[in-house]
Amino acid sequence: MYQERLFTPGPVEIPDRVREALGRQIIHHRTEEFRRAFLEVRELLKRLLDDPSENFVFFSSSGTGAMEAAILNFFEEGQKVLVVNGGKFGERWLLLAKHWGLEVVEYRLDWGKSADPEKVRDLLKKHPDCKGVLLQISETSTGSYHPIEEIAEVCKDTDALLVADAITALGVYNLKPSVGIDVLVGGSQKALMLPPGLSLLWFSQKAKERLKDRAFYFSIKKELGKQQEGQTAWTPAISLLLALKESLGLLLQEGMDRVEKRYRAMSEGTKRAMSALGLEVFPERPAISITAVRSDDAERIRKELLRHGIRIAGGQDHLKGKIFRVSHMGVSEKDMLMLIGVMEIVLKRLGYPVELGSGISKYSQTLIEFGLW
């Protein structure tokens, strides 16, 4: 019997240290023990973001809950926002904004394309009454990266809050909201290497001055004061918060500069390996958390890999059967080497003119170039 290996963009494989924390007997949340642990988690997150601000809260929800909280807590019905829609999750911003009565200016991109900061500038000039710019940093459905620092530079002298879904960026990039992000959303089951069910929302002082009170469960005003004291307004995801202490510890122990370098090496090595195997990377500007690959045989490749105990993700909506997606989150450099080796065998069996070892060679050379091996 083999254990299936996850190379999916959430949930991802969970490190042993984190699994050990998840396996412990649960504690009660209205206790001094929980209060101390929760305050420690908050200090660790400050270190991860390299920001001393207390302006952040956790919610017991998937990342979509924190996305909805961003809409409800910082914008009023009828206000105008610019939404960068270049994939399934950009579309989610669009749907959430419309659901809660915001007027949406849509910056629509072909899937696989990345946002142009100058286009964002033009749209904000055309719509100076925009109160927010909503986007993904890493668009998980396409593997695309939106240049957050350049877009932040565009937004900083406007009235718009820059709201960034960092669900597949936080824990991958050495991400600093001080670059000009006003609202940052994260989720547990991606690069934070936890099961689903915990989200977080960080916000700037500029955003804090615009806090609304439209939400009930997702109310930042209800949560903020309590969480700063080590408690929560509602029942927290106790086990996930205690395990987050371990996953944040792992990231900080490695150091976020080193973490990002590792992801960049795995991403570049995987891209070169896919090219050596005759496959084409899908996005024009790939994120380093995930590699999306174009192939008319995407589903056959995915299913053959699954027969070997390796689970990757397929495409979504109109990209179903057109791309497959390989996550770098939650796996090691050696794990990726194993996947590429099995990929060579799968492609060979499917009739591709693959020279066995060619992908492995490209990947290994890349990691040596990056100084990881």
Side-chain angles (χ1 to χ4, degrees), residues 254-302:
E254 184 175 357
M256 284 310 300
D257 283 337
R258 175 64 167 70
V259 168
E260 181 172 330
K261 180 180 179 180
R262 172 167 56 81
Y263 275 106
R264 287 194 179 280
M266 287 195 292
S267 172
E268 182 62 28
T270 303
K271 286 188 293 182
R272 292 181 188 179
M274 294 299 135
S275 179
L277 298 176
L279 298 172
E280 178 187 356
V281 173
F282 175 68
E284 65 175 5
R285 187 170 182 175
I288 61 174
S289 52
I290 179 175
T291 297
V293 179
R294 187 195 309 271
S295 173
D296 290 336
D297 289 324
E299 279 301 287
R300 292 177 69 199
I301 292 168
R302 187 185 67 79

Side-chain angles (χ1 to χ4, degrees), residues 323-353:
I323 67 169
F324 61 82
R325 296 173 295 146
V326 178
S327 169
H328 308 301
M329 297 176 289
V331 299
S332 73
E333 309 95 299
K334 295 187 286 294
D335 293 328
M336 290 305 305
L337 188 66
M338 178 268 291
L339 178 139
I340 291 165
V342 178
M343 178 77 74
E344 291 181 355
I345 295 166
V346 164
L347 292 174
K348 191 81 171 176
R349 291 187 60 182
L350 291 175
Y352 282 69

